[in-house]
Each structure stands twice: as C-alpha cells, then as structure tokens.
Amino acid sequence: MILAFSGESIIKIKDAEFVNIRDFEVTGTRSMGMSAAGKNIKLSYLSVSRLSGAGIAISGSDITVEGCHIYTTGQKGIDVSGGDKHTLEPSNHLI
C-alpha cells in the first residue's frame, strides 16, 4: 500500500493493550509509518520504508519492537518514549 500523499501515520495505535502486529509492510507517507501508545504491544517483523517522518514511534510501557526492517525514513528509525522520570518507573520497552 502506498499512501504518498497522506500526512498521517499509516497505522496509529492509541491507548491500547495486548496488541500484536506481525509480518506487515508500511510504506509511503509524508508522516511517520506507525505510532503505538499503550501497554503490552508487540510489533514484529515489519517492513517500514519511504517515509518523511520516523519509521515507528512508541510510548507507554512494555512495548516490544523486534525483527523490523526500517529504512529510507526522513527522521529516526524508532522514536522511543515512556516511563516516568519523576518516579523512576521504567518503560520496560524491548527494542
């Protein structure tokens, strides 16, 4: 799927828990490929390419990104945030 004129993320996961996305291709947008926010999310063996933004952005806790092929992005491959710097609670992400 090529959405070169889209200014939005192709896949957006928000406030979700226990989501598993595997063996999927995301390509061609003027934004980031996908964003995932929540808990216990697993992104496995994705191909993410030809984007003007980041490949994948994650925030929340216990998110795993494994075996992904991320290339030809305009910004970062993976943008990671999470945890709490005030309470020192870790995000427990696995990249």
Side-chain angles (χ1 to χ4, degrees):
M1 169 180 10
I2 297 177
L3 299 172
F5 296 108
S6 174
E8 296 289 323
S9 298
I10 293 176
I11 297 175
K12 190 179 291 188
I13 302 167
K14 186 175 179 184
D15 300 324
E17 292 187 34
F18 301 101
V19 174
N20 186 8
I21 296 179
R22 181 182 174 98
D23 298 316
F24 198 82
E25 182 178 357
V26 176
T27 186
T29 183
R30 292 183 299 160
S31 183
M32 72 179 69
M34 68 181 311
S35 62
K39 295 180 179 180
N40 297 303
I41 298 171
K42 189 170 184 179
L43 308 173
S44 307
Y45 305 101
L46 307 176
S47 177
V48 182
S49 65
R50 296 191 291 172
L51 316 163
S52 64
I56 298 172
I58 63 171
S59 63
S61 63
D62 301 299
I63 299 175
T64 299
V65 178
E66 70 173 337
C68 296
H69 188 197
I70 302 167
Y71 60 100
T72 316
T73 65
Q75 295 179 7
K76 309 165 193 132
I78 302 174
D79 184 4
V80 180
S81 63
D84 188 322
K85 65 181 177 183
H86 299 292
T87 64
L88 300 180
E89 180 182 346
S91 66
N92 295 322
H93 296 323
L94 178 62
I95 308 297

